[in-house]
Amino acid sequence: MQFLVLTRRKSEAFTTEQFTEKFSAEVSRARELYQEQFTRQIWHRADGSGACQIVEGPDEEYVRDKINSLPFAGAGMLDIMIVPLKPYAGFVQ
């Protein structure tokens, strides 16, 4: 099953320096999740506030556990929204 994961940095609660300290570890873990084929696509948000990604997993609990393995998420530095996706019905005949 695929999920859309939207994250927003809690910049009102954490400093730029705190994000910078964890940035290398965040990138490294994101790369691992991509190599594991959990993350299918990932983007930075154009508004600079976070990221969004398409991920795959059996259920939302699994997805939340994987996302929480990212250093920013594990430190409570992100607002996280997980949206389950289903096939678009308009293409079914």
Side-chain angles (χ1 to χ4, degrees), residues 4 27 42 74:
L4 172 65
V27 169
I42 188 168

Side-chain angles (χ1 to χ4, degrees), residues 14-46:
F14 296 91
T15 66
T16 300
E17 292 77 22
Q18 289 172 300
F19 283 103
T20 300
E21 288 172 10
K22 295 189 178 303
F23 184 76
S24 291
E26 181 81 4
V27 169
S28 179
R29 182 62 182 138
R31 186 176 292 118
E32 290 170 359
L33 292 174
Y34 184 80
Q35 290 170 340
E36 293 171 12
Q37 297 185 355
F38 167 74
T39 300
R40 295 304 187 157
Q41 298 179 41
I42 188 168
W43 304 268
H44 286 292
R45 291 174 51 160

Side-chain angles (χ1 to χ4, degrees), residues 1-3 38 55-63 66:
M1 183 170 188
Q2 291 190 322
F3 296 81
F38 167 74
V55 302
E56 289 195 18
D59 55 42
E60 188 171 335
E61 181 179 352
Y62 175 87
V63 170
K66 288 284 195 179

